[in-house]
Amino acid sequence: MRLTLALLLLSASTALGQTVTFSVSGSQGNEIVVSKADCAKVTQVTWQRQATNQCDTLYIWLSPDTCSDTPSSSEVTLEEIERSSSVTTGTVSLNVSEALTKAGQTCEAQTENKSFKLCASVRPFNSTGTTCEATATSVGTPAITLTLDPKPPAAPILPTVTGLDTALSVDVTAPSDSSQMKVEVVKLVAGEDGGSTTAGDVVRSKEQTSSNTLFRMDNLENGVEYGVRVFALDKAGNQSEPSPLATGTPIASNGFWAAYRGAQGAETGGCGAGGGGLAVGAVVAALGFWTVSRRKQS
């Protein structure tokens, strides 16, 4: 899948006469985040300049700071387009490993997030239109950031597990730095000599965005106790440690719930409603009669 981010710079100075538009391949948009394992992963970015009357060399480069300058010897220069060049489009390759190596650093040594900005800058013409300004100006859009994220999210807290018919409902709490949540239903392994029960083989697994905190884990066996654990994942794909192990047991629907489902399972319109409403009322009445009868017998 190719996601194109192509936004034109709407307010360029006539003295500048140059704009550069970036288009990013991939699904992360203009915030590209990688883990340590993917530190050398390459992301392709297409650039296109909108004018050719530049005053000086146009640079496309990676900067750990601002873009309103030209690249230093410790930064990665991706393209140099001379003033006389007629080339208006091209592709550059971004990777964190190259940027860190250029700065004398390594991926392995990073313990905190490290970000770089994709820049396009050029010295504009001055007000006379005949000579260049002393400093370069940023002309690239949209703002694109390349970030190394070496740390996984915090482990989620103990989930809330509710037994359903051949299923478990799992309510999770997402850590603030997570983008995805993963729930695993596992077999339980009894500890030796009365020790703690531990997680065995994974029976079911499901991933959802962290904004969707309720999971339904289907195709389980009624009456069997399962373990449930939760993992958090961030934009880089880093996975947290598991949450504490919760347990839950799917339960067959019977008694009141079986009757309720047999009566079409839904109220359809107030106390005096017909159809499903009366059916539900009949089930409730039957349940009340059964309860009273049990009391009289005791």
Side-chain angles (χ1 to χ4, degrees):
M1 176 181 178
R2 179 178 177 83
L3 177 65
T4 301
L5 300 174
L7 302 174
L8 297 179
L9 189 64
L10 299 178
S11 58
S13 162
T14 55
L16 178 59
Q18 184 73 228
T19 60
V20 175
T21 303
F22 297 126
S23 300
V24 184
S25 298
S27 59
Q28 288 192 324
N30 61 356
E31 184 182 13
I32 305 162
V33 187
V34 299
S35 65
K36 273 189 177 181
D38 289 331
C39 189
K41 180 181 178 180
V42 173
T43 300
Q44 299 291 336
V45 177
T46 299
W47 59 268
Q48 183 174 8
R49 58 182 179 138
Q50 308 301 321
T52 56
N53 59 330
Q54 62 195 54
C55 185
D56 200 0
T57 301
L58 171 67
Y59 293 96
I60 299 176
W61 49 296
L62 280 174
S63 171
D65 298 310
T66 63
C67 290
S68 57
D69 204 342
T70 53
S72 70
S73 59
S74 62
E75 295 168 336
V76 178
T77 301
L78 301 167
E79 289 280 3
E80 293 184 42
I81 299 96
E82 300 295 332
R83 177 181 177 181
S84 59
S85 175
S86 60
V87 175
T88 59
T89 188
T91 302
V92 293
S93 299
L94 311 186
N95 83 72
V96 175
S97 179
E98 182 183 10
L100 288 171
T101 299
K102 188 74 171 177
Q105 303 176 40
T106 64
C107 294
E108 292 73 18
Q110 305 307 310
T111 58
E112 300 294 335
N113 284 16
K114 184 73 173 181
S115 294
F116 299 88
K117 299 178 179 67
L118 178 60
C119 302
S121 62
V122 66
R123 289 201 300 160
F125 285 104
N126 63 12
S127 58
T128 66
T130 58
T131 58
C132 302
E133 295 284 0
T135 58
T137 299
S138 175
V139 294
T141 185
I144 293 174
T145 304
L146 176 65
T147 299
L148 172 67
D149 181 357
K151 295 170 58 178
I157 63 173
L158 184 74
T160 301
V161 182
T162 305
L164 305 174
D165 195 351
T166 68
L168 291 173
S169 174
V170 183
D171 194 357
V172 305
T173 300
S176 59
D177 54 347
S178 65
S179 60
Q180 295 280 121
M181 298 294 286
K182 180 171 73 173
V183 168
E184 289 183 347
V185 176
V186 300
K187 293 181 180 179
L188 292 174
V189 178
E192 296 182 3
D193 300 325
S196 300
T197 301
T198 58
D201 294 339
V202 177
V203 178
R204 296 283 178 269
S205 180
K206 183 184 288 186
E207 234 177 87
Q208 297 176 173
T209 61
S210 56
S211 60
N212 188 0
T213 59
L214 193 62
F215 287 70
R216 182 186 173 95
M217 309 301 289
D218 288 305
N219 301 315
L220 302 175
E221 187 177 346
N222 286 335
V224 174
E225 186 178 39
Y226 293 95
V228 178
R229 61 188 180 189
V230 185
F231 299 86
L233 298 95
D234 59 24
K235 289 182 179 180
N238 294 312
Q239 180 172 290
S240 73
E241 293 294 318
S243 69
L245 188 65
T247 59
T249 305
I251 54 174
S253 294
N254 51 35
F256 169 73
W257 288 110
Y260 179 76
R261 293 172 107 185
Q264 311 306 318
E267 172 69 65
T268 60
C271 296
L278 289 176
V280 173
V283 173
V284 173
L287 179 63
F289 176 77
W290 178 83
T291 303
V292 171
S293 298
R294 294 285 294 173
R295 287 174 180 171
K296 287 181 178 180
Q297 292 173 10
S298 60

